[in-house]
């Protein structure tokens, strides 16, 4: 399957899986959020793993927020590399939010670097609708932790 076909497949899965859901902080269709994340400059400006990362960004909430499973994604034709990234981006029910962020911050490797970029893009998008306060502070701190783990400085 070509990269463009894989991207269109993932886009279709994203829209279908999130059908009927609205944004956490807005009333727009929820699928708009992962679409924006997939187009974030952090992800789209990097060429290595570009299409794989954009596809993982499209699907980053599918396992956590819908009834879809990794097996469903595989059976739909999603590549194993994308499913690997989506699995790592999915917070388990046994993880606190900050355990999840620390787990992501400790990932090593090329694909894992892109997983951190996707999560930072996710946080960027979530922050755009938040007023100052505890949730905004939590997301800003999470972004800081991930940025430091990628670049070693703030």
């Amino acid at each position: 399957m070509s990269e463009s076909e894989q991207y269109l497949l993932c886009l279709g899965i994203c829209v279908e899986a999130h059908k009927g859901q609205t944004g956490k902080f807005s009333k727009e269709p929820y699928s708009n959020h992962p679409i924006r994340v997939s187009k974030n400059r952090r992800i789209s400006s990097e060429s290595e793993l570009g299409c794989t990362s954009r596809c993982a960004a499209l699907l980053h909430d599918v396992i956590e927020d819908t009834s879809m499973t990794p097996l469903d994604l595989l059976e739909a034709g999603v590549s194993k590399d994308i499913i690997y990234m989506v699995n790592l981006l999915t917070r388990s029910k046994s993880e606190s939010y900050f355990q999840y962020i620390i787990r992501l911050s400790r990932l090593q490797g090329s694909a894992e670097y892109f997983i951190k970029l996707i999560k930072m893009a996710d946080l960027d998008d979530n922050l755009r609708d938040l007023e100052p306060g505890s949730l905004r502070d939590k997301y800003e701190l999470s972004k800081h932790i991930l940025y430091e783990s990628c670049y070693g400085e703030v």
Side-chain angles (χ1 to χ4, degrees):
M1 183 179 301
S2 73
E3 286 188 349
S4 60
E5 290 170 327
Q6 187 72 217
Y7 183 83
L8 291 174
L9 172 67
C10 292
L11 177 61
I13 291 169
C14 169
V15 170
E16 186 61 32
H18 293 297
K19 187 181 280 185
Q21 295 177 340
T22 56
K24 295 174 187 173
F25 312 111
S26 70
K27 299 297 182 201
E28 69 181 8
Y30 187 80
S31 58
N32 289 357
H33 164 68
I35 292 168
R36 281 191 305 270
V37 172
S38 77
K39 294 178 178 179
N40 183 285
R41 63 180 167 71
R42 288 184 201 269
I43 300 163
S44 59
S45 67
E46 303 273 354
S47 58
E48 182 188 356
L49 294 177
C51 183
T52 301
S53 296
R54 287 190 297 277
C55 288
L58 283 170
L59 301 176
H60 79 273
D61 282 334
V62 165
I63 295 173
E64 192 172 327
D65 294 341
T66 76
S67 62
M68 290 200 80
T69 66
L71 183 57
D72 294 329
L73 295 175
L74 186 63
E75 289 174 350
V78 177
S79 81
K80 290 179 183 178
D81 291 340
I82 294 167
I83 295 169
Y84 169 77
M85 293 178 82
V86 172
N87 273 330
L88 286 176
L89 282 160
T90 300
R91 181 167 60 115
S92 76
K93 295 185 186 335
S94 64
E95 281 180 305
S96 73
Y97 184 78
F98 279 109
Q99 286 172 327
Y100 165 67
I101 294 299
I102 296 302
R103 176 175 59 80
L104 292 182
S105 75
R106 292 181 175 158
L107 295 173
Q108 299 291 315
S110 180
E112 293 77 6
Y113 168 77
F114 282 91
I115 288 166
K116 295 178 203 182
L117 294 182
I118 293 166
K119 187 59 190 176
M120 285 190 286
D122 176 40
L123 291 166
D124 284 340
D125 193 68
N126 286 336
L127 283 164
R128 70 185 195 63
D129 293 324
L130 286 177
E131 298 294 327
S134 61
L135 191 54
R136 182 173 191 85
D137 294 345
K138 178 171 107 171
Y139 287 171
E140 290 282 3
L141 178 58
S142 299
K143 217 170 90 174
H144 174 83
I145 291 167
L146 292 170
Y147 186 92
E148 175 112 354
S149 76
C150 283
Y151 306 110
E153 58 187 57
V154 178

